[in-house]
Amino acid sequence: MNILVIAEHNNQQLSSATYNTITAALQLGSTDIHLLVAGHECAPVAQQAVKINGVSTVLVADFSAYQHFLAENIAPLIRDIAQTHYSHILAPASTNGKDVLPRAAALLDIEPISEITSIISANTFTRPIYAGNAIATVTTNAPIIAMTVRGTAFDSALTSEENVATIETISIQHDKQLSSFVNEALSLADRPDLGSAKVVISGGRGMQNGENFALLEKIADKLDAAIGASRAAVDAGYVANDLQVGQTGKIVAPDLYIAVGISGAIQHLAGMKDSKIIVAINKDEEAPIFQIADYGLVGDLFEILPEIEQRL
Amino acid sequence: MKILVAVKRVVDYNVKVRVNADNSGIDLANTKMSINPFCEIAVEEALRLKEKGLADEVIVVSIGSRKCEEQLRYAMALGADRGILLETDSTPSSLYCAKLLSKMVEKENPGLIILGKQSIDSDNNQTGQILAGLCGIAQGTFASELTIEGGQAIVTREVDSGLQTLSLTLPAVITTDLRLNEPRYAKLPQIMKAKKKPLETLSAETLVAPFAPQVTTQRVDAPTQRKAGSKVANVEELINKLKNEAKVIS
Ligand SMILES: Cc1cc2nc3c(=O)[nH]c(=O)nc-3n(C[C@H](O)[C@H](O)[C@H](O)COP(=O)(O)OP(=O)(O)OC[C@H]3O[C@@H](n4cnc5c(N)ncnc54)[C@H](O)[C@@H]3O)c2cc1C
Ligand SMILES: Nc1ncnc2c1ncn2[C@@H]1O[C@H](COP(=O)(O)O)[C@@H](O)[C@H]1O
């Protein structure tokens, strides 16, 4: 059983979700895991990739048209590679993975499976549906199994000091010229990554404005936490879109999740209810968030947050 | 330019769903059904492009049972010009939906095809990408801004690391994210008027020969419930519990 894992990276660094996806590949029972690093001037990524335990080969496709991971160019590359001898293609269930993997599946005429959360056998998986209000067990008989993997559901693969994998250069080049990169506005990564942070502190509409998120930041500094938000807080422009936690935002499962001024709509819960410990701070004691919170504190967040900061 | 919009009938987002007794799926009896929220955003975006003079016709397509006519009528009440129901009694897979939609793309020759990024029932987030792949055209997924300029679609995408802007050759597939727009509401006179708009029904099976789905659902379970928590009286107690009981901070 040969498994192809699609690495996610920014041409400098592998994303943490890639390591979780490799653990999923290992759980499938494969001893031959190949990691595809498609990008441009992405040698540093390949250097990280060869140190991941369980990976036997790192396939490096270094080509200018792969720089921004445009689906139109990457999908045919995946198709060409996967057609040779792979049973599974796995990608992180990130925006990149979700953009590219279904398109590659289309080119292979197979039905992909989105965001699996556990592996029952080599062709049977679970995945949440209806905003996590139900868990479906799905089986596939596709000739190649293509799926995206929820990072928080799998541990991170371990790495070695030494190189454990060999590098193979892929010379397939697709430049379909259907799309081109214009620009990007990246959030400054001065905090731990939302998807892998041990502590996440999120603010909702109750924060009232973006400036007040400073109250959360002060606490996050002390706890080395990532900052998250509800959709309402993002829609209102308090914080950037990439902080949205939920069914249609990011999925987090930290050791500690602190929800501040968030009511607890099912769409929000879908993104955080697998956290180990949940704390809710809300002035409305009837707020649904309290039904899933291990520790609920009823009160005004503007009084509570400074006090927490002080006592930490 | 024509715009083709795919709209899906789903359980309304306010409904708290329950797994049925035999674990075969969700109990849908007497459940409120609506247009998928992301599809509503897709319809709205198409209408805005038409209102700006960038499109001359908005066609809405839905795949499923005859009941999907309700969602098509609703989209027409919002302003879509005509509807097409691709009727099937089976639950269509994403690949089958995408193949059906690709037939519609062939037939109608739209400049833009707009889909939701995700159905809120199956949570798949894949039909638009599969469709773009099958048609061999560009895709702009998770769009939060869309403009048409010099025969190109300029699309800003909500990605994990922030925002990314791409320029796409037309025709292209766009999938909508939450912040692309705020959909309008349908007013009564428009709902009445929409009843007279053309709605064509085609048999899905005739359009694309059905094939056995590759992915099948074996069972559906309720998620494990979190045990009910407790309230703490004040910040001091909270921090004490986090340190000594939960041991998640030091
Ligand atoms: C298709 C779709 C997808 C969605 N996806 C997501 C998603 O991915 N993520 C997501 O979060 N939402 C999502 N939503 C939105 C979701 O349904 C809710 O609208 C949203 O989560 C509400 O955000 P909120 O809790 O911040 O706001 P509200 O529901 O308005 O709650 C604000 C809370 O703050 C409390 N509060 C106010 N002032 C104070 C104070 N001074 N001190 C303490 N507490 C205070 C209030 O009591 C209230 O409980 C989605 C909705 C749809 C339709
Ligand atoms: N049965 C359907 N009928 C019409 N459109 C659909 C159907 N299924 C999926 N779509 C479209 O594909 C989008 C993404 O769905 P999904 O890939 O299922 O998450 C939806 O928002 C719709 O625009």
Side-chain angles (χ1 to χ4, degrees):
Chain A
M1 194 161 60
N2 292 324
I3 297 181
L4 181 66
V5 175
I6 314 302
E8 185 184 46
H9 61 86
N10 58 4
N11 294 307
Q12 291 297 317
Q13 196 131 40
L14 272 174
S15 76
S16 61
T18 306
Y19 293 83
N20 306 104
T21 307
I22 288 167
T23 298
L26 284 164
Q27 284 184 15
L28 286 166
S30 170
T31 48
D32 226 356
I33 297 174
H34 296 184
L35 185 64
L36 172 64
V37 175
H40 185 47
E41 295 174 350
C42 51
V45 180
Q47 288 315 316
Q48 292 152 36
V50 288
K51 295 195 162 59
I52 306 174
N53 291 353
V55 175
S56 62
T57 308
V58 176
L59 307 171
V60 180
D62 193 326
F63 176 48
S64 56
Y66 298 155
Q67 181 175 4
H68 297 288
F69 218 74
L70 300 175
E72 295 81 356
N73 299 335
I74 301 291
L77 170 70
I78 295 173
R79 174 202 55 204
D80 291 353
I81 297 172
Q83 258 168 354
T84 54
H85 62 306
Y86 292 96
S87 59
H88 296 71
I89 318 170
L90 273 57
S94 57
T95 47
N96 275 331
K98 286 178 170 172
D99 187 44
V100 165
L101 193 92
R103 188 176 177 113
L107 303 183
L108 291 158
D109 197 27
I110 55 180
E111 168 96 4
I113 303 177
S114 181
E115 203 147 359
I116 64 146
T117 47
S118 77
I119 292 168
I120 293 171
S121 74
N123 67 355
T124 304
F125 315 100
T126 64
R127 57 180 303 273
I129 54 176
Y130 291 90
N133 284 305
I135 309 295
T137 303
V138 297
T139 293
T140 173
N141 60 11
I144 302 176
I145 298 174
M147 57 195 187
T148 52
V149 174
R150 179 175 286 190
T152 54
F154 295 89
D155 289 337
S156 187
L158 301 174
T159 55
S160 295
E161 295 283 309
E162 305 290 306
N163 293 356
V164 292
T166 50
I167 289 187
E168 197 179 298
T169 304
I170 300 285
S171 52
I172 301 165
Q173 298 188 334
H174 286 285
D175 184 3
K176 303 281 180 204
Q177 308 209 341
L178 290 168
S179 57
S180 58
F181 173 82
V182 178
N183 59 47
E184 60 194 353
L186 300 184
S187 297
L188 298 172
D190 53 352
R191 292 199 179 275
D193 174 46
L194 242 187
S196 53
K198 292 249 180 292
V199 181
V200 173
I201 178 161
S202 292
R205 200 195 307 268
M207 296 303 297
Q208 287 179 6
N209 59 44
E211 289 77 63
N212 288 337
F213 267 71
L215 297 170
L216 301 181
E217 279 164 17
K218 286 184 198 151
I219 296 173
D221 287 342
K222 292 200 168 170
L223 295 175
D224 194 24
I227 303 264
S230 70
R231 174 191 174 181
V234 177
D235 281 5
Y238 303 171
V239 290
N241 62 283
D242 52 298
L243 298 193
Q244 181 181 313
V245 169
Q247 177 189 17
T248 59
K250 282 187 180 152
I251 307 292
V252 302
D255 291 344
L256 173 60
Y257 187 88
I258 309 175
V260 185
I262 292 178
S263 60
I266 51 168
Q267 292 87 4
H268 188 78
L269 303 191
M272 44 65 80
K273 70 185 161 77
D274 291 329
S275 304
K276 209 165 120 207
I277 296 290
I278 295 173
V279 170
I281 298 168
N282 198 304
K283 68 176 181 192
D284 171 14
E285 62 178 333
E286 301 293 324
I289 189 82
F290 286 124
Q291 287 162 25
I292 62 141
D294 299 277
Y295 304 112
L297 183 50
V298 180
D300 184 352
L301 67 91
F302 295 104
E303 285 163 24
I304 292 171
L305 291 176
E307 193 183 340
I308 293 180
E309 194 221 326
Q310 208 180 34
R311 286 183 185 269
L312 280 175
Chain B
M1 175 172 88
K2 287 187 199 175
I3 303 180
L4 191 72
V5 181
V7 302
K8 185 177 177 185
R9 173 185 172 87
V10 296
V11 171
D12 186 84
Y13 80 96
N14 279 311
V15 173
K16 176 113 176 68
V17 298
R18 260 174 230 293
V19 172
N20 61 16
D22 65 1
N23 288 94
S24 62
I26 295 297
D27 203 346
L28 289 179
N30 305 320
T31 310
K32 181 175 181 209
M33 303 296 283
S34 297
I35 178 171
N36 183 41
F38 288 100
C39 300
E40 212 175 327
I41 296 172
V43 171
E44 176 67 33
E45 197 62 16
L47 297 177
R48 291 188 189 187
L49 289 168
K50 188 180 166 193
E51 285 158 3
K52 282 187 204 143
L54 292 164
D56 33 52
E57 192 182 25
V58 175
I59 309 159
V60 285
V61 187
S62 191
I63 302 158
S65 74
R66 184 141 290 230
K67 291 188 173 152
C68 300
E69 282 183 359
E70 284 171 30
Q71 282 65 44
L72 290 171
R73 288 280 174 217
Y74 180 75
M76 289 190 276
L78 292 174
D81 297 291
R82 61 188 166 99
I84 303 173
L85 169 64
L86 304 179
E87 197 180 3
T88 169
D89 288 327
S90 61
T91 307
S93 67
S94 301
L95 187 58
Y96 190 55
C97 282
K99 286 186 177 181
L100 286 165
L101 292 172
S102 76
K103 284 281 176 214
M104 287 294 108
V105 172
E106 257 172 49
K107 191 171 158 206
E108 301 284 350
N109 217 355
L112 271 182
I113 307 100
I114 313 183
L115 288 81
K117 84 161 176 182
Q118 182 170 341
S119 321
I120 59 158
D121 51 0
S122 60
D123 279 335
N124 277 327
N125 194 335
Q126 59 195 22
T127 308
Q129 298 86 313
I130 300 174
L131 173 63
L134 294 175
C135 297
I137 59 180
Q139 69 186 54
T141 51
F142 328 139
S144 65
E145 221 182 302
L146 174 65
T147 52
I148 308 291
E149 259 173 52
Q152 298 267 316
I154 312 296
V155 51
T156 299
R157 309 175 54 227
E158 292 201 357
V159 294
D160 287 339
S161 51
L163 295 169
Q164 180 195 54
T165 303
L166 301 178
S167 171
L168 312 177
T169 304
L170 299 180
V173 171
I174 303 294
T175 76
T176 60
D177 217 318
L178 293 170
R179 280 160 286 274
L180 184 58
N181 59 49
E182 252 185 78
R184 68 194 69 187
Y185 295 97
K187 300 197 190 81
L188 193 62
Q190 294 162 325
I191 295 172
M192 301 312 290
K193 227 173 100 189
K195 292 189 176 149
K196 298 200 189 75
K197 289 189 177 175
L199 198 169
E200 185 184 3
T201 300
L202 303 171
S203 144
E205 280 78 14
T206 319
L207 209 60
V208 175
F211 48 90
Q214 293 173 336
V215 177
T216 47
T217 299
Q218 301 302 307
R219 57 177 290 131
V220 174
D221 292 277
T224 40
Q225 293 297 320
R226 291 186 71 93
K227 62 169 173 41
S230 60
K231 295 243 169 69
V232 291
N234 52 42
V235 171
E236 191 179 356
E237 187 187 347
L238 174 66
I239 293 189
N240 185 15
K241 292 219 160 160
L242 291 177
K243 279 189 179 158
N244 302 316
E245 192 175 84
K247 297 190 167 56
V248 285
I249 61 174
S250 49

